[in-house]
Amino acid sequence: MDKYSFLNTAHTSFFAELYDKYLKNPDSVEPSWRAFFQGFDFGMESSLDELDLSSQNGMVTIANGDQVEMPQSLQKEFQVIRLIDGYRSRGHLFTKTNPVRDRRKYVPTLDLENFGLSDADLDTVFNAGEIIGIGSNNLREIIKHLQSIYCDAIGVEYMYIRTPERIAWIQNWLNVNDNHPKYDADRKKYILKKLNQAVSFEGFLHTKYVGQKRFSLEGNESLIPALDVVVERAAEMGVEQFVMGMAHRGRLNVLTNIFGKAAKDIFSEFDGKDYEQEIFDGDVKYHLGWTSERKTNNGNKIKMNIAPNPSHLETVGAVVEGIARAKQDAHFPDDFSKVLPIIVHGDAAIAGQGLVYEVIQMANLDGYKTNGTIHLVVNNQIGFTTNYLDARTSTYCTDVGKVTLSPVLHVNADDVEAVVHASLFALEYRMRFNRDVFLDLLGYRKYGHNEGDEPRFTQPKLYKAIAKHKNPRDIYAERLLAEGVIEEGYVKHLEEEYKASLEEELEDSRKEDKTEITPFMADEWSGFENVREWEMMDPVDTTYDKKKLATIAKVITELPQDKKFLRKVEKLVGDRKKMFFETDKLDWAMGELLAYGTLLEEGFGVRMSGQDVERGTFSHRHAVMKVEESEEEILLLNRISDKQGHFQIYNSLLSEYGVVGFDYGYAMASPNTLTIWEAQFGDFSNGAQIMIDQYISAAEDKWKLQNGLVMLLPHGYEGQGAEHSSARMERYLQLCARDNMYVADVSTPAQMFHILRRQMKVNFRKPLIIFTPKSLLRHPKAVSTVDELASGKFQEVIDDSSADIKKVKSVVFCTGKFYYDLLAVQEDQKRDDVALVRVEQLFPLPSDQMSAVIEKYTNADDVVWAQEEPRNMGAWSHLMMHFKDAGKFRVASRRFYASPAAGSAVRSKRRHQQVIDYVFDKTKDNMTRPKSSDEQ
């Protein structure tokens, strides 16, 4: 008992403060105190009956068996602190945040009895009141303040955060005015004005375009004041650019009332007018992006970007993060906080889409961080027709935010002042801690999923309540009227004035016959042109001075002498030096690295990311060297010159969808950076299929949006099974049309060098898909000379330079790695009657060059298309659609298969050999159905 006698000597406020500190972070208190508090908590949690709290002599039995003489007042102080902690941890479960439904019931509640207290304690004064900023006070007053802070229109989740500094900041922020704003009359009128704009805009559209889809914001109009206050305050805090992504609901309202897009342009889109530009097909109005410069009320200027998005929910989030990071790298490398990303989610989408998790996991990674994102949920409590109870298992749609220990605020969207207050919290938290924060605006959806849908089919009870519910503007106006802030008729005047301006815009809109697609981020794309397919085929000078090339080669083949590296690394770098300066046989890695080096020397940036790209999945690249003892990273490509561009390379998180989206966004905002994503195996790129379908292949056609993202997809049949052979070449080729992207399957280091340089040396940008090799990375014949890099060019078609035209009877067209398989047989069999022709660029297809090759071999009576992929895969179907002479081909391929490749290496090798045999002997047609399974 003696060792606890100190409990009688100190003031209870000291213990209260110490216990509160322990509850936030047990490791922050001295070990003996921690042991004492742990014992006390154990006793409390085991059962209140196990603590002899009513003992006459003040003896308390802790669960570890120790007898502690604790004054009754101290026992009660601890229980009050537990009560405060309960409100902090669970108060959000008992808030008034749902405007149209009763909240679910949760146990245990915050009743006094659950903390060893009773009504008899309500008038007792406790020092614990100091913890919530009200000083020593009676329990009744403490509870009143706790209810106001944690259980009114704002529910806060944050106690899982592991950083005491952040917890303390949050608690101090919440304690001010009991987590309630104190706005003056002018501020309240301004909030009402923005709320009126939101409500009136939707009402105007509802009457002018009856039944048309607009994905109304009605029921969550407080989003507009929320975004407005973030923009205004962010500009005061030094933010210069604002990058936002959101899906459909409320987008038109946000474009008009936050981003300043002219309402007449939106009306033109509603009227369904044709587009001014013939070469773009455009998109529906609630997918389009916008860029503008806004002047805030205080005279600050802030650049506003809302990214275009497809219907695929949450896809734009990854793109927004990439755009934000590119802008940070380019314009504010020393202060990322000057670019603020905001992602507006839907409740069903943030809970249901796995991409959200991928994006959130990027938040603090070196290659992907943006110094914090504000995630704002427009919570309708329903997804199309699906109730929230059927849409997720988690309590809240925002629970994914807890993965990164981000604070989450749940706010009643009918209480616009609470929404504005919470929005300021989110902004200030992001700016102070450079971390993500989540804001859940709990409202409703006035109509169905779209304005032509009938929601009462599936939620009759909910929509009966919604039909009787006033909109947030009218609720707030009544409040301000009662406070004497406004007079009768004030709102009506606001509405009439705003709708009159919309009428003028509508009248102006109907004077125009066509609508124009406004390019997104035109400022970043100044000087670039839009080109058509035939212009993509124009020759491009990608040569590079041989002496300067040697200088770069010297830099990237010499390790720092004062650092120790693994012997294998030293040998690898030494071998690269010999390649360039002695043997003149450059391998794939040297061709690739020299392409980057020359572009960097010319002032371009280079960014690469993907799984294991620093070393390379197949251990060929070694763009990052690690010092043996310290693991210090050495990037030789950043040592070329003082004026060079910046080389960045990042091993990514294990994500395809999120990372491709991020890198696509990065390339969208940084056209002078060669932005590359490399798949671990090309097959894995299908994890990013939505990005490929909705952005990479179609964005220029839909949104007038150029993008130079390069995708490196390892491809080749080498007996590694169904998931490590095919990059699904056929899928990319099927997406090719007109002038939307380049697709190539190159076969030499020089070709890789020139195609990467071509990507940056033109005055336009197109996505580039390159099917890269695996075995060719070290193939003795897959080498190039220094002159081929310095003085060469990219060749769309490579003819057989060793062929004797008069002797050739069979002309074989192929791509990529398969050429070397055929070359080995051609040389082994001394087949001078066969010419092997490589089609290096598959789109735009070099049809004229291919036809010229066929015509060149006048004695050939056999023209072959050879591919290692099954007949229903690879490039064959593409050739049938795009090559006028495809009917001349005899096709050598694997048979039709559902799976890209066999799992058995023996079977795979046999199938491969069958194709090769048929290339050189047309009597060995492997397409005849086998008689038994062992012949497959």
Side-chain angles (χ1 to χ4, degrees), residues 191-204:
I191 292 171
L192 180 62
K193 175 185 173 183
K194 297 307 294 184
L195 200 50
N196 174 70
Q197 290 173 357
V199 172
S200 299
F201 180 79
E202 298 293 353
F204 188 85

Side-chain angles (χ1 to χ4, degrees), residues 212-370:
Q212 278 208 45
K213 287 183 183 179
R214 70 177 192 274
F215 296 98
S216 153
L217 186 58
E218 287 163 280
N220 245 307
E221 293 97 332
S222 55
L223 173 68
I224 298 302
L227 290 174
D228 183 79
V229 74
V230 168
V231 173
E232 292 284 332
R233 180 71 181 120
E236 292 176 13
M237 299 176 78
V239 172
E240 295 188 26
Q241 296 213 34
F242 178 95
V243 184
M244 183 171 160
M246 68 181 297
H248 309 44
R249 187 155 311 284
R251 186 185 188 89
L252 301 179
N253 210 317
V254 168
L255 279 167
T256 299
N257 291 314
I258 298 297
F259 283 80
K261 182 174 182 178
K264 76 178 184 65
D265 293 335
I266 292 175
F267 298 148
S268 289
E269 292 156 9
F270 268 104
D271 288 332
K273 299 172 184 175
D274 198 2
Y275 298 105
E276 190 74 38
Q277 304 97 327
E278 286 294 330
I279 60 174
F280 301 108
D281 279 346
D283 199 358
V284 292
K285 51 195 166 290
Y286 36 78
H287 287 176
L288 301 176
W290 188 258
T291 297
S292 61
E293 186 170 84
R294 171 170 162 169
K295 188 173 183 180
T296 69
N297 296 332
N298 286 339
N300 297 302
K301 290 182 179 179
I302 187 164
K303 190 163 288 184
M304 308 282 289
N305 301 280
I306 183 167
N309 64 280
S311 284
H312 296 67
L313 300 173
E314 300 296 338
T315 296
V316 75
V319 177
V320 162
E321 298 294 356
I323 292 171
R325 177 58 182 265
K327 287 177 172 291
Q328 290 166 341
D329 282 344
H331 305 301
F332 311 104
D334 298 323
D335 187 0
F336 277 14
S337 293
K338 288 185 176 294
V339 179
L340 173 60
I342 295 187
I343 302 176
V344 180
H345 308 266
D347 53 314
I350 193 174
Q353 297 292 302
L355 177 62
V356 178
Y357 181 86
E358 294 182 38
V359 171
I360 286 170
Q361 282 289 11
M362 295 177 179
N364 286 313
L365 304 181
D366 282 346
Y368 308 92
K369 65 184 179 183
T370 55

